[in-house]
Amino acid sequence: MNIIILSFAMLVVLAGISAVAVYVVAKKFHVEEDPRIDLVNACLPGANCGGCGFPGCRALAETIVKQGNLEGLNCPPGGSECMQNIASVLGVETVVEEPKIAVIRCSGTKLNSPKTVNFEGLQSCRFSNNLYTGDAGCPQGCLGLGDCVRSCQFDAMYMNEETGLPTILDDKCVACGVCVTACPRAVIELRLKGKKDRRIFVSCINKEKGVMAKKHCSVACIACTKCQKACTFDAITIENNLAYIDFEKCKLCRKCTTECPTNAILEVNFPVRKTTES
């Protein structure tokens, strides 16, 4: 009986010592958290998508409070209203960023770029990218296996059975950039949404020379420079056999699209051009 009582007493003493030690350590290393972090975090959407460049909304809130301003910081899903609310909480100036949207820079549909092989391995773009060039042979084109769609937390994209390419839903895309990261070939890009939701971009990333690019896709860019010569705003550059339109410089004049001999340049949400009857 004495042994049992002694053992119990020792356990009580050890528990007391441990409790005191934990209390002392907690007091010594306690860090007072700025209460504004909770206020800023409450303004954020809680998506934890990583579009801001941080691992979660809480991390962004901590960075904003620590930095003391919104310069270089943004929450794509929350948009301008979210950032204005945060600015009000902190009493700082709002940094307004133009809304962006994800675009698919590939037009290698089943019609434009017919299959030459059939991949039967793991249905993952990241996996297949390490094994072969693609069903139609384009070394940079969309693999069509849906890694981007599976990564989207906002149901803003789906695999189009007719084209074999992902389709982005404009009204749901928040430009978080997760799909951009998920694509192993950098087919997806975040671009300015544009006035009236209008955009112009080269829907091709094939860097092969013209003949080979056309062999793999009928609407591939062949770097003919016609679009570049037509642009009066220096918005188009040609590099590595590929044209690129700078969305910061582009004025949406549409001159380049009529010059492109392969229809590699897409114009989105524009009115149909009037045709002149002969």
Side-chain angles (χ1 to χ4, degrees), residues 5 13 49 75 84 92 214 220 242 270:
I5 295 174
V13 171
C49 61
C75 174
Q84 286 172 3
V92 298
K214 283 282 289 181
L242 182 65
F270 284 87

Side-chain angles (χ1 to χ4, degrees), residues 210-229:
V211 175
M212 289 302 297
K214 283 282 289 181
K215 177 182 178 182
H216 292 141
C217 182
S218 62
V219 294
C221 173
I222 56 175
C224 64
T225 73
K226 287 186 176 181
C227 59
Q228 186 181 41
K229 293 174 182 176

Side-chain angles (χ1 to χ4, degrees), residues 61-121:
E62 292 174 353
T63 303
I64 290 174
V65 172
K66 183 179 180 180
Q67 181 171 297
N69 58 63
L70 301 179
E71 186 176 352
L73 300 172
N74 184 45
C75 174
S80 59
E81 182 179 354
C82 169
M83 301 310 292
Q84 286 172 3
N85 291 337
I86 293 174
S88 299
V89 168
L90 298 178
V92 298
E93 185 179 349
T94 307
V95 179
V96 180
E97 289 196 12
E98 292 188 62
K100 291 184 178 181
I101 193 170
V103 299
I104 308 297
R105 293 187 58 216
C106 177
S107 292
T109 64
K110 294 177 181 180
L111 179 63
N112 296 332
S113 187
K115 284 187 176 184
T116 55
V117 297
N118 186 31
F119 180 69
E120 296 182 348

Side-chain angles (χ1 to χ4, degrees), residues 53-248:
F54 295 91
C57 294
R58 185 78 183 182
L60 174 60
E62 292 174 353
T63 303
I64 290 174
V65 172
K66 183 179 180 180
Q67 181 171 297
N69 58 63
L70 301 179
E71 186 176 352
L73 300 172
N74 184 45
C75 174
S80 59
E81 182 179 354
C82 169
M83 301 310 292
Q84 286 172 3
N85 291 337
I86 293 174
S88 299
V89 168
L90 298 178
V92 298
E93 185 179 349
T94 307
V95 179
V96 180
E97 289 196 12
E98 292 188 62
K100 291 184 178 181
I101 193 170
V103 299
I104 308 297
R105 293 187 58 216
C106 177
S107 292
T109 64
K110 294 177 181 180
L111 179 63
N112 296 332
S113 187
K115 284 187 176 184
T116 55
V117 297
N118 186 31
F119 180 69
E120 296 182 348
L122 180 66
Q123 297 299 290
S124 165
C125 299
R126 194 163 295 278
F127 177 79
S128 63
N129 184 51
N130 296 320
L131 300 179
Y132 81 136
T133 56
D135 291 347
C138 177
Q140 281 91 33
C142 176
L143 291 163
L145 298 178
D147 284 16
C148 54
V149 173
R150 289 187 289 272
S151 73
C152 182
Q153 301 179 43
F154 302 94
D155 295 324
M157 53 196 313
Y158 66 94
M159 290 305 301
N160 191 316
E161 293 293 333
E162 184 178 347
T163 64
L165 298 174
T167 295
I168 294 172
L169 302 173
D170 290 9
D171 58 335
K172 290 187 176 182
C173 179
V174 298
C176 66
V178 174
C179 59
V180 176
T181 304
C183 179
R185 292 193 168 183
V187 171
I188 307 175
E189 180 187 23
L190 294 182
R191 297 179 68 89
L192 291 180
K193 202 165 186 179
K195 296 179 180 179
K196 297 183 180 181
D197 201 17
R198 295 173 179 174
R199 299 172 291 283
I200 295 177
F201 60 95
V202 179
S203 185
C204 179
I205 56 173
N206 192 336
K207 296 180 180 179
E208 296 176 303
K209 290 185 177 181
V211 175
M212 289 302 297
K214 283 282 289 181
K215 177 182 178 182
H216 292 141
C217 182
S218 62
V219 294
C221 173
I222 56 175
C224 64
T225 73
K226 287 186 176 181
C227 59
Q228 186 181 41
K229 293 174 182 176
C231 182
T232 56
F233 303 102
D234 295 324
I236 302 179
T237 54
I238 308 289
E239 187 176 349
N240 294 326
N241 305 310
L242 182 65
Y244 179 77
I245 300 176
D246 187 337
F247 54 80
E248 297 283 357

